[in-house]
Amino acid sequence: MTTLLKRNMKLYFRDRISLLLSLLAIFIIIILYVVFLGNVWGTDATWNLPDEEVDILKYSWLTAGILAVATMTTAMGAFSVVVNDRAKKINKGFYASPVKRKHITGGYILSAFLIGVLMSLVTFVCLSLYIVFIVGGEPLAILSYLQVVGIILLSSLTNTAMVCFIVSFLKSYSAFSTVSTILGTLIGFLMGIYLPIGNLPETVQTVIKLFPPSHAAVLLRRVIMDIPMQLSFDGIPAEYLEDFQEVMGITYQLGDHEISPLVSVIVLLISAFVFYILARLNMRKMRMQN
């Protein structure tokens, strides 16, 4: 399995098209904010806070969203190796070898997971440096950095399982490219990244809250925006901070109840388990049909 793992990772980083597709959603989010959506952080969302503090809050919020998206899209890009092997019948050679099928499947899934984690960590480092040295924000506490890493691992686990399930239906590289493009475009909406969730209709808000990967975005926002929110809302009545957190999707409300971080973690874990089982069952069915 280790040999297959190394092979898959090398193929991913050598394939520039797959690499670009996996980063498509990140580019879309950045371009949209630079060109169109930068003004969504108006006075309604920030209650006339100073511009410098608004920028720090905005880019911290954006960083959390980009990280949540990256854990899914980079995993999707990593699974291009699976589709390519399936399209070229390379996988049949693997299945005919003495290597156990669970090790072959494990090599594909583990490589996608590691690629998702690695790319997300690199993204986090770059964005953190930008916030500190360009925007003027404060570095996170050591514990907060560790929490972010833990959330990235959890989010990558869930998204790898979900993407594995999606990819298990794809037999051609053209179909994979199409699905990757659609996912890269829609994922920002499904995670509530393009616009503050409070600016969206109630029905759309409910869909976002029920979409499992969006809970990774909530967890990341809680951690990454903790210090900026403390500094910006210091001395301001608590109800303004609570309104800000709800509007920006830093906390989720279902009815009159706030979804706790523990519930978000459980949602991610259960989703990872369910989609992994579904992916394994579908992949087994596909092998039997072939």
Side-chain angles (χ1 to χ4, degrees), residues 33 37-62 196 198-199 225 228-229 231-237 239-250:
Y33 265 88
L37 301 178
N39 292 328
V40 299
W41 283 71
T43 55
D44 289 341
T46 51
W47 289 276
N48 294 318
L49 293 173
D51 290 342
E52 292 182 1
E53 294 184 6
V54 171
D55 285 341
I56 295 172
L57 286 169
K58 177 171 67 176
Y59 286 107
S60 298
W61 183 83
L62 193 59
N199 294 348
M225 298 186 69
M229 286 190 300
L231 295 176
S232 297
F233 287 88
D234 183 34
I236 298 177
E239 58 266 23
Y240 288 101
L241 176 58
E242 293 174 0
D243 289 343
F244 174 78
Q245 290 175 328
E246 187 174 349
V247 168
M248 303 309 299
I250 301 167

Side-chain angles (χ1 to χ4, degrees), residues 169-244:
F169 291 95
L170 306 178
K171 296 183 179 180
S172 67
Y173 198 82
S174 60
F176 173 81
S177 298
T178 301
V179 172
S180 295
T181 303
I182 294 173
L183 181 66
T185 305
L186 292 180
I187 193 65
F189 289 108
L190 295 174
M191 287 190 180
I193 308 301
Y194 294 145
L195 290 171
I197 189 173
N199 294 348
L200 301 173
E202 287 292 335
T203 303
V204 178
Q205 292 185 34
T206 302
V207 171
I208 292 173
K209 293 171 184 177
L210 295 178
F211 185 56
S214 72
H215 287 267
V218 172
L219 292 172
L220 286 166
R221 289 178 192 132
R222 283 178 176 267
V223 176
I224 294 175
M225 298 186 69
D226 183 46
I227 291 178
M229 286 190 300
Q230 288 184 26
L231 295 176
S232 297
F233 287 88
D234 183 34
I236 298 177
E239 58 266 23
Y240 288 101
L241 176 58
E242 293 174 0
D243 289 343
F244 174 78

Side-chain angles (χ1 to χ4, degrees), residues 22-277:
S22 65
L23 298 175
L24 177 63
I26 296 175
F27 294 144
I28 289 175
I29 293 171
I30 293 174
I31 291 172
L32 283 175
Y33 265 88
V34 170
V35 179
F36 300 108
L37 301 178
N39 292 328
V40 299
W41 283 71
T43 55
D44 289 341
T46 51
W47 289 276
N48 294 318
L49 293 173
D51 290 342
E52 292 182 1
E53 294 184 6
V54 171
D55 285 341
I56 295 172
L57 286 169
K58 177 171 67 176
Y59 286 107
S60 298
W61 183 83
L62 193 59
T63 294
I66 288 176
L67 288 178
V69 168
T71 57
M72 173 165 280
T73 58
T74 52
M76 186 72 182
F79 274 109
S80 64
V81 178
V82 178
V83 178
N84 191 52
D85 286 351
R86 188 180 297 158
K88 294 181 178 179
K89 309 298 182 183
I90 296 175
N91 60 331
K92 290 189 175 182
F94 292 147
Y95 293 138
S97 68
V99 181
K100 294 182 179 180
R101 292 194 173 188
K102 65 179 181 179
H103 290 164
I104 297 173
T105 303
Y108 284 129
I109 294 175
L110 185 57
S111 61
F113 170 75
L114 291 177
I115 288 170
V117 171
L118 177 62
M119 295 295 288
S120 298
L121 289 176
V122 171
T123 302
F124 177 54
V125 170
C126 293
L127 292 174
S128 296
L129 292 175
Y130 179 82
I131 290 174
V132 173
F133 293 104
I134 304 299
V135 182
E138 294 290 331
L140 300 180
I142 297 298
L143 179 59
S144 297
Y145 281 118
L146 294 177
Q147 288 176 327
V148 171
V149 173
I151 298 169
I152 287 174
L153 290 171
L154 177 58
S155 180
S156 296
L157 178 67
T158 301
N159 291 330
T160 299
M162 292 186 68
V163 170
C164 184
F165 175 66
I166 296 171
V167 170
S168 67
F169 291 95
L170 306 178
K171 296 183 179 180
S172 67
Y173 198 82
S174 60
F176 173 81
S177 298
T178 301
V179 172
S180 295
T181 303
I182 294 173
L183 181 66
T185 305
L186 292 180
I187 193 65
F189 289 108
L190 295 174
M191 287 190 180
I193 308 301
Y194 294 145
L195 290 171
I197 189 173
N199 294 348
L200 301 173
E202 287 292 335
T203 303
V204 178
Q205 292 185 34
T206 302
V207 171
I208 292 173
K209 293 171 184 177
L210 295 178
F211 185 56
S214 72
H215 287 267
V218 172
L219 292 172
L220 286 166
R221 289 178 192 132
R222 283 178 176 267
V223 176
I224 294 175
M225 298 186 69
D226 183 46
I227 291 178
M229 286 190 300
Q230 288 184 26
L231 295 176
S232 297
F233 287 88
D234 183 34
I236 298 177
E239 58 266 23
Y240 288 101
L241 176 58
E242 293 174 0
D243 289 343
F244 174 78
Q245 290 175 328
E246 187 174 349
V247 168
M248 303 309 299
I250 301 167
T251 59
Y252 277 174
Q253 296 281 144
L254 276 179
D256 297 328
H257 301 283
E258 179 180 321
I259 299 176
S260 68
L262 178 59
V263 171
S264 293
V265 170
I266 292 173
V267 168
L268 291 170
L269 288 174
I270 292 176
S271 299
F273 176 76
V274 170
F275 280 102
Y276 176 73
I277 296 299

